[in-house]
PDB file of all heavy atoms in Angstrom:
ATOM      1  N   ALA A  95       9.440  13.199 -15.832  1.00  0.00           N
ATOM      2  CA  ALA A  95       9.197  14.288 -16.779  1.00  0.00           C
ATOM      3  C   ALA A  95       9.641  13.901 -18.185  1.00  0.00           C
ATOM      4  O   ALA A  95       8.942  14.180 -19.172  1.00  0.00           O
ATOM      5  CB  ALA A  95       9.927  15.549 -16.320  1.00  0.00           C
ATOM      6  N   ARG A  96      10.782  13.244 -18.284  1.00  0.00           N
ATOM      7  CA  ARG A  96      11.304  12.823 -19.599  1.00  0.00           C
ATOM      8  C   ARG A  96      10.344  11.847 -20.271  1.00  0.00           C
ATOM      9  O   ARG A  96      10.071  11.956 -21.477  1.00  0.00           O
ATOM     10  CB  ARG A  96      12.682  12.167 -19.420  1.00  0.00           C
ATOM     11  CG  ARG A  96      13.301  11.678 -20.722  1.00  0.00           C
ATOM     12  CD  ARG A  96      14.610  10.961 -20.475  1.00  0.00           C
ATOM     13  NE  ARG A  96      14.446   9.808 -19.606  1.00  0.00           N
ATOM     14  CZ  ARG A  96      13.962   8.634 -20.023  1.00  0.00           C
ATOM     15  NH1 ARG A  96      13.590   8.473 -21.288  1.00  0.00           N
ATOM     16  NH2 ARG A  96      13.862   7.623 -19.181  1.00  0.00           N
ATOM     17  N   ILE A  97       9.806  10.925 -19.498  1.00  0.00           N
ATOM     18  CA  ILE A  97       8.867   9.941 -20.050  1.00  0.00           C
ATOM     19  C   ILE A  97       7.574  10.619 -20.480  1.00  0.00           C
ATOM     20  O   ILE A  97       7.035  10.340 -21.556  1.00  0.00           O
ATOM     21  CB  ILE A  97       8.588   8.838 -19.016  1.00  0.00           C
ATOM     22  CG1 ILE A  97       9.863   8.004 -18.802  1.00  0.00           C
ATOM     23  CG2 ILE A  97       7.434   7.942 -19.457  1.00  0.00           C
ATOM     24  CD1 ILE A  97       9.776   7.022 -17.659  1.00  0.00           C
ATOM     25  N   PHE A  98       7.081  11.541 -19.668  1.00  0.00           N
ATOM     26  CA  PHE A  98       5.852  12.253 -20.028  1.00  0.00           C
ATOM     27  C   PHE A  98       6.051  13.035 -21.327  1.00  0.00           C
ATOM     28  O   PHE A  98       5.146  13.112 -22.165  1.00  0.00           O
ATOM     29  CB  PHE A  98       5.442  13.194 -18.893  1.00  0.00           C
ATOM     30  CG  PHE A  98       4.209  12.752 -18.152  1.00  0.00           C
ATOM     31  CD1 PHE A  98       4.192  11.553 -17.462  1.00  0.00           C
ATOM     32  CD2 PHE A  98       3.059  13.529 -18.167  1.00  0.00           C
ATOM     33  CE1 PHE A  98       3.070  11.137 -16.784  1.00  0.00           C
ATOM     34  CE2 PHE A  98       1.922  13.117 -17.494  1.00  0.00           C
ATOM     35  CZ  PHE A  98       1.921  11.917 -16.802  1.00  0.00           C
ATOM     36  N   LYS A  99       7.229  13.633 -21.517  1.00  0.00           N
ATOM     37  CA  LYS A  99       7.506  14.416 -22.722  1.00  0.00           C
ATOM     38  C   LYS A  99       7.444  13.568 -23.984  1.00  0.00           C
ATOM     39  O   LYS A  99       7.173  14.084 -25.073  1.00  0.00           O
ATOM     40  CB  LYS A  99       8.893  15.065 -22.620  1.00  0.00           C
ATOM     41  CG  LYS A  99       8.977  16.213 -21.632  1.00  0.00           C
ATOM     42  CD  LYS A  99      10.405  16.755 -21.550  1.00  0.00           C
ATOM     43  CE  LYS A  99      10.497  17.876 -20.526  1.00  0.00           C
ATOM     44  NZ  LYS A  99      11.895  18.386 -20.384  1.00  0.00           N
ATOM     45  N   SER A 100       7.687  12.266 -23.842  1.00  0.00           N
ATOM     46  CA  SER A 100       7.721  11.374 -25.006  1.00  0.00           C
ATOM     47  C   SER A 100       6.333  10.894 -25.423  1.00  0.00           C
ATOM     48  O   SER A 100       6.186  10.261 -26.474  1.00  0.00           O
ATOM     49  CB  SER A 100       8.602  10.153 -24.697  1.00  0.00           C
ATOM     50  OG  SER A 100       7.974   9.298 -23.738  1.00  0.00           O
ATOM     51  N   VAL A 101       5.315  11.190 -24.641  1.00  0.00           N
ATOM     52  CA  VAL A 101       3.961  10.701 -24.923  1.00  0.00           C
ATOM     53  C   VAL A 101       3.260  11.626 -25.921  1.00  0.00           C
ATOM     54  O   VAL A 101       3.184  12.832 -25.703  1.00  0.00           O
ATOM     55  CB  VAL A 101       3.129  10.617 -23.619  1.00  0.00           C
ATOM     56  CG1 VAL A 101       1.696  10.192 -23.925  1.00  0.00           C
ATOM     57  CG2 VAL A 101       3.773   9.643 -22.647  1.00  0.00           C
ATOM     58  N   PRO A 102       2.751  11.089 -27.027  1.00  0.00           N
ATOM     59  CA  PRO A 102       2.018  11.906 -27.995  1.00  0.00           C
ATOM     60  C   PRO A 102       0.838  12.617 -27.326  1.00  0.00           C
ATOM     61  O   PRO A 102       0.101  12.020 -26.546  1.00  0.00           O
ATOM     62  CB  PRO A 102       1.526  10.880 -29.023  1.00  0.00           C
ATOM     63  CG  PRO A 102       2.511   9.757 -28.927  1.00  0.00           C
ATOM     64  CD  PRO A 102       2.876   9.681 -27.472  1.00  0.00           C
ATOM     65  N   GLY A 103       0.672  13.891 -27.649  1.00  0.00           N
ATOM     66  CA  GLY A 103      -0.433  14.658 -27.080  1.00  0.00           C
ATOM     67  C   GLY A 103      -0.063  15.423 -25.833  1.00  0.00           C
ATOM     68  O   GLY A 103      -0.800  16.304 -25.392  1.00  0.00           O
ATOM     69  N   ILE A 104       1.080  15.093 -25.224  1.00  0.00           N
ATOM     70  CA  ILE A 104       1.539  15.788 -24.021  1.00  0.00           C
ATOM     71  C   ILE A 104       2.684  16.738 -24.393  1.00  0.00           C
ATOM     72  O   ILE A 104       3.601  16.379 -25.126  1.00  0.00           O
ATOM     73  CB  ILE A 104       2.011  14.800 -22.941  1.00  0.00           C
ATOM     74  CG1 ILE A 104       0.805  14.045 -22.374  1.00  0.00           C
ATOM     75  CG2 ILE A 104       2.745  15.509 -21.815  1.00  0.00           C
ATOM     76  CD1 ILE A 104       1.147  13.043 -21.290  1.00  0.00           C
ATOM     77  N   SER A 105       2.613  17.949 -23.889  1.00  0.00           N
ATOM     78  CA  SER A 105       3.636  18.954 -24.195  1.00  0.00           C
ATOM     79  C   SER A 105       3.850  19.863 -22.989  1.00  0.00           C
ATOM     80  O   SER A 105       3.134  19.781 -21.990  1.00  0.00           O
ATOM     81  CB  SER A 105       3.201  19.793 -25.406  1.00  0.00           C
ATOM     82  OG  SER A 105       1.989  20.486 -25.127  1.00  0.00           O
ATOM     83  N   ASN A 106       4.861  20.713 -23.107  1.00  0.00           N
ATOM     84  CA  ASN A 106       5.140  21.730 -22.082  1.00  0.00           C
ATOM     85  C   ASN A 106       5.262  21.122 -20.682  1.00  0.00           C
ATOM     86  O   ASN A 106       4.727  21.650 -19.706  1.00  0.00           O
ATOM     87  CB  ASN A 106       4.044  22.805 -22.098  1.00  0.00           C
ATOM     88  CG  ASN A 106       4.452  24.071 -21.373  1.00  0.00           C
ATOM     89  OD1 ASN A 106       5.622  24.414 -21.315  1.00  0.00           O
ATOM     90  ND2 ASN A 106       3.484  24.766 -20.790  1.00  0.00           N
ATOM     91  N   VAL A 107       5.979  20.012 -20.591  1.00  0.00           N
ATOM     92  CA  VAL A 107       6.178  19.339 -19.301  1.00  0.00           C
ATOM     93  C   VAL A 107       7.154  20.153 -18.454  1.00  0.00           C
ATOM     94  O   VAL A 107       8.248  20.505 -18.897  1.00  0.00           O
ATOM     95  CB  VAL A 107       6.713  17.912 -19.492  1.00  0.00           C
ATOM     96  CG1 VAL A 107       6.941  17.242 -18.136  1.00  0.00           C
ATOM     97  CG2 VAL A 107       5.740  17.091 -20.329  1.00  0.00           C
ATOM     98  N   LYS A 108       6.740  20.468 -17.240  1.00  0.00           N
ATOM     99  CA  LYS A 108       7.575  21.256 -16.335  1.00  0.00           C
ATOM    100  C   LYS A 108       7.633  20.599 -14.962  1.00  0.00           C
ATOM    101  O   LYS A 108       6.658  19.995 -14.514  1.00  0.00           O
ATOM    102  CB  LYS A 108       7.012  22.673 -16.183  1.00  0.00           C
ATOM    103  CG  LYS A 108       6.995  23.492 -17.458  1.00  0.00           C
ATOM    104  CD  LYS A 108       6.400  24.867 -17.210  1.00  0.00           C
ATOM    105  CE  LYS A 108       6.359  25.719 -18.478  1.00  0.00           C
ATOM    106  NZ  LYS A 108       5.745  27.037 -18.223  1.00  0.00           N
ATOM    107  N   THR A 109       8.766  20.731 -14.308  1.00  0.00           N
ATOM    108  CA  THR A 109       8.902  20.260 -12.936  1.00  0.00           C
ATOM    109  C   THR A 109       9.561  21.350 -12.105  1.00  0.00           C
ATOM    110  O   THR A 109      10.340  22.154 -12.615  1.00  0.00           O
ATOM    111  CB  THR A 109       9.768  18.982 -12.842  1.00  0.00           C
ATOM    112  OG1 THR A 109      11.085  19.267 -13.348  1.00  0.00           O
ATOM    113  CG2 THR A 109       9.151  17.837 -13.623  1.00  0.00           C
ATOM    114  N   SER A 110       9.228  21.375 -10.836  1.00  0.00           N
ATOM    115  CA  SER A 110       9.913  22.278  -9.904  1.00  0.00           C
ATOM    116  C   SER A 110      10.069  21.543  -8.578  1.00  0.00           C
ATOM    117  O   SER A 110       9.182  20.796  -8.171  1.00  0.00           O
ATOM    118  CB  SER A 110       9.127  23.578  -9.704  1.00  0.00           C
ATOM    119  OG  SER A 110       7.865  23.325  -9.115  1.00  0.00           O
ATOM    120  N   MET A 111      11.221  21.754  -7.956  1.00  0.00           N
ATOM    121  CA  MET A 111      11.538  21.070  -6.707  1.00  0.00           C
ATOM    122  C   MET A 111      12.080  22.072  -5.696  1.00  0.00           C
ATOM    123  O   MET A 111      13.179  22.595  -5.868  1.00  0.00           O
ATOM    124  CB  MET A 111      12.549  19.946  -6.967  1.00  0.00           C
ATOM    125  CG  MET A 111      11.985  18.784  -7.761  1.00  0.00           C
ATOM    126  SD  MET A 111      13.243  17.666  -8.449  1.00  0.00           S
ATOM    127  CE  MET A 111      13.535  18.440 -10.047  1.00  0.00           C
ATOM    128  N   ASP A 112      11.313  22.378  -4.689  1.00  0.00           N
ATOM    129  CA  ASP A 112      11.697  23.304  -3.628  1.00  0.00           C
ATOM    130  C   ASP A 112      12.102  22.477  -2.409  1.00  0.00           C
ATOM    131  O   ASP A 112      11.243  22.005  -1.661  1.00  0.00           O
ATOM    132  CB  ASP A 112      10.514  24.222  -3.306  1.00  0.00           C
ATOM    133  CG  ASP A 112      10.827  25.213  -2.191  1.00  0.00           C
ATOM    134  OD1 ASP A 112      11.879  25.084  -1.536  1.00  0.00           O
ATOM    135  OD2 ASP A 112       9.993  26.121  -1.957  1.00  0.00           O
ATOM    136  N   PHE A 113      13.406  22.291  -2.228  1.00  0.00           N
ATOM    137  CA  PHE A 113      13.887  21.453  -1.133  1.00  0.00           C
ATOM    138  C   PHE A 113      14.022  22.220   0.180  1.00  0.00           C
ATOM    139  O   PHE A 113      14.383  21.636   1.196  1.00  0.00           O
ATOM    140  CB  PHE A 113      15.215  20.796  -1.513  1.00  0.00           C
ATOM    141  CG  PHE A 113      15.063  19.716  -2.551  1.00  0.00           C
ATOM    142  CD1 PHE A 113      15.420  19.939  -3.866  1.00  0.00           C
ATOM    143  CD2 PHE A 113      14.536  18.482  -2.206  1.00  0.00           C
ATOM    144  CE1 PHE A 113      15.267  18.954  -4.824  1.00  0.00           C
ATOM    145  CE2 PHE A 113      14.382  17.489  -3.153  1.00  0.00           C
ATOM    146  CZ  PHE A 113      14.752  17.724  -4.465  1.00  0.00           C
ATOM    147  N   ASP A 114      13.750  23.521   0.153  1.00  0.00           N
ATOM    148  CA  ASP A 114      13.705  24.268   1.402  1.00  0.00           C
ATOM    149  C   ASP A 114      12.359  24.068   2.097  1.00  0.00           C
ATOM    150  O   ASP A 114      12.287  23.979   3.323  1.00  0.00           O
ATOM    151  CB  ASP A 114      13.929  25.765   1.140  1.00  0.00           C
ATOM    152  CG  ASP A 114      15.345  26.077   0.682  1.00  0.00           C
ATOM    153  OD1 ASP A 114      16.273  25.398   1.165  1.00  0.00           O
ATOM    154  OD2 ASP A 114      15.509  26.970  -0.164  1.00  0.00           O
ATOM    155  N   ASN A 115      11.306  24.007   1.283  1.00  0.00           N
ATOM    156  CA  ASN A 115       9.958  23.834   1.832  1.00  0.00           C
ATOM    157  C   ASN A 115       9.357  22.463   1.531  1.00  0.00           C
ATOM    158  O   ASN A 115       8.239  22.175   1.934  1.00  0.00           O
ATOM    159  CB  ASN A 115       9.037  24.926   1.275  1.00  0.00           C
ATOM    160  CG  ASN A 115       9.454  26.302   1.723  1.00  0.00           C
ATOM    161  OD1 ASN A 115       9.441  26.613   2.905  1.00  0.00           O
ATOM    162  ND2 ASN A 115       9.841  27.154   0.772  1.00  0.00           N
ATOM    163  N   TYR A 116      10.107  21.629   0.781  1.00  0.00           N
ATOM    164  CA  TYR A 116       9.667  20.283   0.425  1.00  0.00           C
ATOM    165  C   TYR A 116       8.347  20.311  -0.349  1.00  0.00           C
ATOM    166  O   TYR A 116       7.337  19.744   0.051  1.00  0.00           O
ATOM    167  CB  TYR A 116       9.583  19.385   1.670  1.00  0.00           C
ATOM    168  CG  TYR A 116      10.939  19.151   2.280  1.00  0.00           C
ATOM    169  CD1 TYR A 116      11.413  19.979   3.294  1.00  0.00           C
ATOM    170  CD2 TYR A 116      11.775  18.149   1.811  1.00  0.00           C
ATOM    171  CE1 TYR A 116      12.688  19.816   3.825  1.00  0.00           C
ATOM    172  CE2 TYR A 116      13.047  17.969   2.338  1.00  0.00           C
ATOM    173  CZ  TYR A 116      13.491  18.800   3.341  1.00  0.00           C
ATOM    174  OH  TYR A 116      14.759  18.636   3.861  1.00  0.00           O
ATOM    175  N   ILE A 117       8.399  21.020  -1.484  1.00  0.00           N
ATOM    176  CA  ILE A 117       7.266  21.095  -2.398  1.00  0.00           C
ATOM    177  C   ILE A 117       7.751  20.678  -3.784  1.00  0.00           C
ATOM    178  O   ILE A 117       8.719  21.239  -4.310  1.00  0.00           O
ATOM    179  CB  ILE A 117       6.680  22.523  -2.468  1.00  0.00           C
ATOM    180  CG1 ILE A 117       6.210  22.976  -1.082  1.00  0.00           C
ATOM    181  CG2 ILE A 117       5.524  22.574  -3.466  1.00  0.00           C
ATOM    182  CD1 ILE A 117       5.766  24.423  -1.028  1.00  0.00           C
ATOM    183  N   ILE A 118       7.095  19.693  -4.368  1.00  0.00           N
ATOM    184  CA  ILE A 118       7.457  19.197  -5.689  1.00  0.00           C
ATOM    185  C   ILE A 118       6.255  19.332  -6.612  1.00  0.00           C
ATOM    186  O   ILE A 118       5.127  19.005  -6.234  1.00  0.00           O
ATOM    187  CB  ILE A 118       7.909  17.723  -5.625  1.00  0.00           C
ATOM    188  CG1 ILE A 118       9.202  17.617  -4.810  1.00  0.00           C
ATOM    189  CG2 ILE A 118       8.117  17.151  -7.021  1.00  0.00           C
ATOM    190  CD1 ILE A 118       9.676  16.192  -4.602  1.00  0.00           C
ATOM    191  N   LYS A 119       6.481  19.810  -7.840  1.00  0.00           N
ATOM    192  CA  LYS A 119       5.388  20.002  -8.786  1.00  0.00           C
ATOM    193  C   LYS A 119       5.741  19.426 -10.147  1.00  0.00           C
ATOM    194  O   LYS A 119       6.862  19.580 -10.630  1.00  0.00           O
ATOM    195  CB  LYS A 119       5.054  21.496  -8.931  1.00  0.00           C
ATOM    196  CG  LYS A 119       3.923  21.769  -9.914  1.00  0.00           C
ATOM    197  CD  LYS A 119       3.603  23.259 -10.013  1.00  0.00           C
ATOM    198  CE  LYS A 119       2.467  23.518 -10.990  1.00  0.00           C
ATOM    199  NZ  LYS A 119       2.132  24.967 -11.100  1.00  0.00           N
ATOM    200  N   LEU A 120       4.766  18.766 -10.745  1.00  0.00           N
ATOM    201  CA  LEU A 120       4.871  18.275 -12.113  1.00  0.00           C
ATOM    202  C   LEU A 120       3.651  18.790 -12.863  1.00  0.00           C
ATOM    203  O   LEU A 120       2.518  18.645 -12.376  1.00  0.00           O
ATOM    204  CB  LEU A 120       4.891  16.745 -12.154  1.00  0.00           C
ATOM    205  CG  LEU A 120       4.754  16.093 -13.527  1.00  0.00           C
ATOM    206  CD1 LEU A 120       6.000  16.348 -14.364  1.00  0.00           C
ATOM    207  CD2 LEU A 120       4.511  14.595 -13.395  1.00  0.00           C
ATOM    208  N   SER A 121       3.859  19.410 -14.032  1.00  0.00           N
ATOM    209  CA  SER A 121       2.723  19.903 -14.812  1.00  0.00           C
ATOM    210  C   SER A 121       2.972  19.677 -16.298  1.00  0.00           C
ATOM    211  O   SER A 121       4.121  19.524 -16.736  1.00  0.00           O
ATOM    212  CB  SER A 121       2.489  21.399 -14.547  1.00  0.00           C
ATOM    213  OG  SER A 121       3.573  22.175 -15.016  1.00  0.00           O
ATOM    214  N   CYS A 122       1.891  19.658 -17.071  1.00  0.00           N
ATOM    215  CA  CYS A 122       2.001  19.489 -18.511  1.00  0.00           C
ATOM    216  C   CYS A 122       0.703  19.913 -19.178  1.00  0.00           C
ATOM    217  O   CYS A 122      -0.333  20.076 -18.525  1.00  0.00           O
ATOM    218  CB  CYS A 122       2.327  18.041 -18.880  1.00  0.00           C
ATOM    219  SG  CYS A 122       0.988  16.876 -18.507  1.00  0.00           S
ATOM    220  N   ASN A 123       0.760  20.094 -20.495  1.00  0.00           N
ATOM    221  CA  ASN A 123      -0.432  20.338 -21.294  1.00  0.00           C
ATOM    222  C   ASN A 123      -0.802  19.052 -22.025  1.00  0.00           C
ATOM    223  O   ASN A 123       0.069  18.224 -22.320  1.00  0.00           O
ATOM    224  CB  ASN A 123      -0.182  21.455 -22.303  1.00  0.00           C
ATOM    225  CG  ASN A 123       0.001  22.802 -21.632  1.00  0.00           C
ATOM    226  OD1 ASN A 123       1.122  23.317 -21.552  1.00  0.00           O
ATOM    227  ND2 ASN A 123      -1.064  23.381 -21.136  1.00  0.00           N
ATOM    228  N   PHE A 124      -2.072  18.882 -22.327  1.00  0.00           N
ATOM    229  CA  PHE A 124      -2.516  17.697 -23.068  1.00  0.00           C
ATOM    230  C   PHE A 124      -3.502  18.107 -24.153  1.00  0.00           C
ATOM    231  O   PHE A 124      -4.219  19.104 -24.029  1.00  0.00           O
ATOM    232  CB  PHE A 124      -3.155  16.670 -22.125  1.00  0.00           C
ATOM    233  CG  PHE A 124      -4.307  17.205 -21.308  1.00  0.00           C
ATOM    234  CD1 PHE A 124      -5.604  17.283 -21.835  1.00  0.00           C
ATOM    235  CD2 PHE A 124      -4.116  17.630 -20.001  1.00  0.00           C
ATOM    236  CE1 PHE A 124      -6.660  17.771 -21.088  1.00  0.00           C
ATOM    237  CE2 PHE A 124      -5.176  18.127 -19.238  1.00  0.00           C
ATOM    238  CZ  PHE A 124      -6.446  18.199 -19.785  1.00  0.00           C
ATOM    239  N   LYS A 125      -3.533  17.314 -25.241  1.00  0.00           N
ATOM    240  CA  LYS A 125      -4.492  17.561 -26.316  1.00  0.00           C
ATOM    241  C   LYS A 125      -5.854  16.987 -25.947  1.00  0.00           C
ATOM    242  O   LYS A 125      -6.885  17.520 -26.333  1.00  0.00           O
ATOM    243  CB  LYS A 125      -3.993  16.949 -27.627  1.00  0.00           C
ATOM    244  CG  LYS A 125      -2.820  17.705 -28.243  1.00  0.00           C
ATOM    245  CD  LYS A 125      -2.464  17.148 -29.605  1.00  0.00           C
ATOM    246  CE  LYS A 125      -1.346  17.950 -30.242  1.00  0.00           C
ATOM    247  NZ  LYS A 125      -0.981  17.416 -31.582  1.00  0.00           N
ATOM    248  N   LYS A 126      -5.846  15.878 -25.225  1.00  0.00           N
ATOM    249  CA  LYS A 126      -7.062  15.282 -24.689  1.00  0.00           C
ATOM    250  C   LYS A 126      -6.705  14.595 -23.387  1.00  0.00           C
ATOM    251  O   LYS A 126      -5.557  14.165 -23.192  1.00  0.00           O
ATOM    252  CB  LYS A 126      -7.696  14.296 -25.672  1.00  0.00           C
ATOM    253  CG  LYS A 126      -6.799  13.146 -26.103  1.00  0.00           C
ATOM    254  CD  LYS A 126      -7.509  12.243 -27.095  1.00  0.00           C
ATOM    255  CE  LYS A 126      -6.630  11.061 -27.490  1.00  0.00           C
ATOM    256  NZ  LYS A 126      -7.319  10.163 -28.448  1.00  0.00           N
TER     257      LYS A 126
END
Side-chain angles (χ1 to χ4, degrees):
R96 179 184 59 78
I97 292 171
F98 251 62
K99 288 177 182 178
S100 70
V101 176
I104 290 180
S105 61
N106 197 29
V107 179
K108 297 179 180 178
T109 60
S110 63
M111 291 165 270
D112 179 350
F113 289 104
D114 292 325
N115 295 297
Y116 294 93
I117 301 173
I118 295 176
K119 180 179 180 180
L120 170 69
S121 66
C122 67
N123 292 106
F124 56 83
K125 288 186 177 180
K126 58 181 182 179

